[in-house]
Amino acid sequence: MLNKIRKINIRSILLNFYLLPFAQAIYLPILFSRHCKIKGLYRGGVQINSDLISPGMIQIGYKGSGIIDERYERSIIEFGKNGKLIFHGRVFLGCGIRFSISSQIEIGNNVNITGNTSIICNKKIKIGDNSLISWDCLILDTDFHKIYNNEEILNEDKQIEIGNHVWIGAKTTILKGTIIPNDSVVGAGSLCVGPFFDENAIYAGQPIKLIKRNINWHI
């Protein structure tokens, strides 16, 4: 609790009361680092869908790894016109995270996203409960630029879904249409393309493939 109190700053207080209903804001559930830049933010752009609201339950832009220097790694959260960031419980977003949100990102309870990870959302991205995403990952549900065959768009944006209790290794890239099942591990440096179906499995590679079934992992 003392560590959370030390992280409280005027900016966090103002943003909580701007973003959240008063009944939630009085608990100061979201702590924003001084090194976190927020662009395009609007009232209602951030929501907390949880029955339990507690001080500092969501922390954004703070040091999450010994190899990342909070003083020099600035976090950026950019909201588009329809961008929405929804939290379902306790979440830690480390320093250097970069979100570009033009649609909806949902983050479950007890999720830790280590520093320097980038998420670009044009369609929808959902991250399940109790998941861990390591540093330097890239998650994007769009190709940005459209490819046409006559008038037909060949590369529409596609939703990404990361299940419950999933561990994503460092420097992994997750592309549009990817579905990672519950209780899975994705090896460091993997390239994730398309849906996968086996729970309790290890996936790894470029492109990713099933490595081993019937596993479990613990933080």
Side-chain angles (χ1 to χ4, degrees):
M1 178 60 74
L2 181 60
N3 185 44
K4 291 180 181 179
I5 291 173
R6 289 171 178 164
K7 292 178 179 178
I8 295 175
N9 52 57
I10 294 298
R11 190 159 173 260
S12 290
I13 295 171
L14 294 175
L15 284 172
N16 274 271
F17 281 94
Y18 175 73
L19 292 168
L20 304 174
F22 182 80
Q24 292 184 341
I26 56 174
Y27 292 97
L28 299 181
I30 308 177
L31 299 180
F32 295 89
S33 165
R34 295 180 179 87
H35 302 285
C36 181
K37 181 176 183 179
I38 303 175
K39 301 189 289 184
L41 185 62
Y42 64 95
R43 194 182 299 271
V46 176
Q47 297 179 7
I48 302 176
N49 293 343
S50 174
D51 294 331
L52 178 62
I53 304 296
S54 61
M57 61 186 286
I58 298 162
Q59 299 183 35
I60 301 176
Y62 294 95
K63 184 176 180 180
S65 172
I67 65 170
I68 299 172
D69 192 330
E70 184 179 347
R71 295 172 297 175
Y72 302 109
E73 295 293 345
R74 191 172 195 180
S75 301
I76 300 172
I77 301 179
E78 180 181 46
F79 289 85
K81 182 179 180 181
N82 299 310
K84 187 165 290 187
L85 180 57
I86 301 174
F87 297 104
H88 291 278
R90 190 197 73 81
V91 173
F92 183 90
L93 305 178
C95 63
I97 59 100
R98 297 170 181 89
F99 284 11
S100 177
I101 310 170
S102 297
S103 187
Q104 181 172 300
I105 296 178
E106 287 191 47
I107 304 179
N109 180 44
N110 195 33
V111 171
N112 190 319
I113 302 179
T114 314
N116 287 350
T117 281
S118 298
I119 299 180
I120 295 92
C121 176
N122 279 11
K123 182 75 172 180
K124 184 177 181 181
I125 296 174
K126 185 176 181 180
I127 301 171
D129 298 340
N130 303 308
S131 289
L132 172 63
I133 299 177
S134 299
W135 58 86
D136 290 328
C137 291
L138 174 63
I139 302 172
L140 62 165
D141 63 4
T142 179
D143 294 332
F144 293 103
H145 308 290
K146 299 301 181 186
I147 301 173
Y148 294 87
N149 181 6
N150 296 320
E151 298 300 320
E152 179 186 6
I153 298 176
L154 300 180
N155 61 333
E156 294 279 7
D157 299 339
K158 295 180 181 178
Q159 177 176 330
I160 290 173
E161 184 169 344
I162 297 171
N164 297 322
H165 193 236
V166 171
W167 175 15
I168 308 294
K171 298 184 182 296
T172 290
T173 298
I174 300 176
L175 300 181
K176 66 179 190 179
T178 296
I179 299 175
I180 300 175
N182 298 334
D183 301 303
S184 296
V185 174
V186 175
S190 294
L191 175 62
C192 303
V193 184
F196 304 93
F197 304 102
D198 288 278
E199 298 185 355
N200 297 97
I202 297 175
Y203 298 91
Q206 297 187 352
I208 196 172
K209 62 182 180 180
L210 176 64
I211 302 297
K212 192 173 184 63
R213 293 184 174 91
N214 301 317
I215 63 97
N216 206 340
W217 69 275
H218 302 279
I219 294 177

